[in-house]
Amino acid sequence: MLNPPSEAPVLQGLWEAVQAGQREVLLSPYLPASYAFLTHVLLCTPFLALDALGSVCQRVRSWRVSAGSGPPPSLRRWGECFLRVLSRYLSSVLPATALLHALCSPAVLPLLAPSCWELCVEVFACLLVFDTLFFICHVAMHRVPWLYRRVHRHHHRHHLPFALAAQDSSSLELLSLLLMALSSSWLVGCHPLSEAVFHLLNSWLAVEDHCGYDLPWALHRLLPCLGGAPCHQAHHALHNVNYAPYFTHWDLLFGTYCAPELYLRKER
C-alpha cells in the first residue's frame, strides 16, 4: 500500500490496521449479516446483566421504564429469543444479503481514511436517512393490515420489550432493516470506516430503544432529540404513536408523538 501523505487523516492508521490482512473479510458477502448479528448480541450483554440483577435488586428494577410492571425477562426468555433471531439470520438474512452482494459490482476499498469530521458527518447523515426510511416503512406496516399481519406483528409480541427483542422480528422485517441500513450508507456515499461506525451506533440505538430501562446515562437523556426506551416502549404498548426509531422530529411533525410521561400516566 502507498504511504499516506503527510496531511493524511488522523484515522489513517486505524484504517490501515483494519485493512491489514483483512481485505477478504471486508469484502466478504457474509460480512453485513454477520456484523449485524454479532454486534447486536454483544451490545445486548450489559442489559442481560441488568435483567439478571433486576431479579434480586430493587434499585435496578427502579430504572425500568415501567417500574411496577413486574420482574425483568427471565434467562429462559432471553434464550428463546436468541434462538429465534439466530435461526432467522441463518435461514433468511445471511443467504439473501450474500446473494445481493454477489449481484452487485465488486467494492473497491479506498486507500485513505476519512477525517474525523467527515466520519462524524457521514455517520450522522446515515442515521438521519435510516430514521426517515424506517419511519416511512414503520407507518406503512402499521397502517396496511396485510403488512402488519405478515411482516410486523411478530415484533409486537413484546408488550414490554427487552434488549434482545430489538431484532426479534419476522425474517422479512429483519432483512428489510438490514437493507435499509445498507441503503442509508449507500445513499450518503460514506467511507467503509464511517459505515462500520454507523452500523455499530445503529445497533446500539436499537438495543437501547428496546432495553426497557430509563437509565440516568442513556443517550436520550443526553440528547433531547432522541426518544429512547421510554418513547419506544410507548409505541409497543399503544401501537399508533412514536413510529420513528430514534429521533422525534418526524413524529412531532406528523402528530404521532406521545410523550413518555403521558403513556406512563395511562399505565398507572
Side-chain angles (χ1 to χ4, degrees):
M1 180 178 292
L2 297 175
N3 290 326
S6 58
E7 66 273 12
V10 174
L11 298 172
Q12 185 64 38
L14 173 62
W15 177 234
E16 290 181 358
V18 169
Q19 288 193 87
Q22 304 297 325
R23 292 183 67 84
E24 289 186 5
V25 174
L26 293 171
L27 296 173
S28 169
Y30 304 109
L31 178 63
S34 302
Y35 184 75
F37 176 77
L38 291 173
T39 54
H40 175 67
V41 171
L42 289 173
L43 293 173
C44 285
T45 52
F47 297 105
L48 173 59
L50 276 180
D51 283 349
L53 286 171
S55 61
V56 295
C57 178
Q58 178 59 38
R59 177 65 181 274
V60 172
R61 287 200 297 273
S62 71
W63 290 335
R64 290 178 62 78
V65 175
S66 299
S69 61
S74 64
L75 185 60
R76 178 178 178 177
R77 193 175 169 199
W78 271 81
E80 291 171 347
C81 183
F82 173 80
L83 291 176
R84 284 195 300 269
V85 176
L86 177 62
S87 66
R88 289 188 174 92
Y89 264 92
L90 291 176
S91 63
S92 305
V93 180
L94 191 66
T97 52
L99 177 61
L100 180 66
H101 186 280
L103 295 174
C104 295
S105 302
V108 178
L109 297 177
L111 292 178
L112 291 179
S115 67
C116 293
W117 172 251
E118 286 171 341
L119 184 140
C120 291
V121 169
E122 289 175 352
V123 169
F124 182 65
C126 285
L127 287 172
L128 286 177
V129 173
F130 178 85
D131 192 78
T132 302
L133 294 175
F134 187 99
F135 177 82
I136 295 169
C137 293
H138 200 185
V139 169
M141 286 191 290
H142 276 272
R143 301 291 172 87
V144 179
W146 185 90
L147 284 175
Y148 183 80
R149 288 195 309 270
R150 298 291 184 180
V151 180
H152 194 50
R153 182 169 61 181
H154 180 91
H155 184 62
H156 273 276
R157 67 191 295 165
H158 301 285
H159 178 72
L160 295 174
F162 60 104
L164 197 61
Q167 293 205 10
D168 189 8
S169 305
S170 66
S171 297
L172 190 56
E173 185 169 358
L174 274 178
L175 182 58
S176 67
L177 287 171
L178 186 53
L179 290 178
M180 275 191 281
L182 293 171
S183 299
S184 300
S185 59
W186 178 78
L187 289 170
V188 172
C190 60
H191 190 281
L193 193 58
S194 303
E195 183 178 357
V197 174
F198 158 63
H199 290 309
L200 181 64
L201 184 56
N202 191 32
S203 293
W204 172 254
L205 288 171
V207 167
E208 196 177 68
D209 263 10
H210 290 81
C211 70
Y213 289 92
D214 189 9
L215 298 170
W217 56 85
L219 283 177
H220 70 273
R221 288 184 172 271
L222 304 175
L223 302 171
C225 59
L226 296 176
C231 273
H232 198 69
Q233 189 153 309
H235 170 76
H236 273 258
L238 305 175
H239 287 213
N240 61 347
V241 297
N242 300 348
Y243 293 108
Y246 310 136
F247 300 102
T248 57
H249 59 278
W250 288 120
D251 284 304
L252 288 168
L253 183 62
F254 286 96
T256 54
Y257 177 75
C258 174
E261 310 83 58
L262 297 177
Y263 152 67
L264 291 173
R265 200 175 303 150
K266 291 178 183 178
E267 286 285 290
R268 296 191 189 100

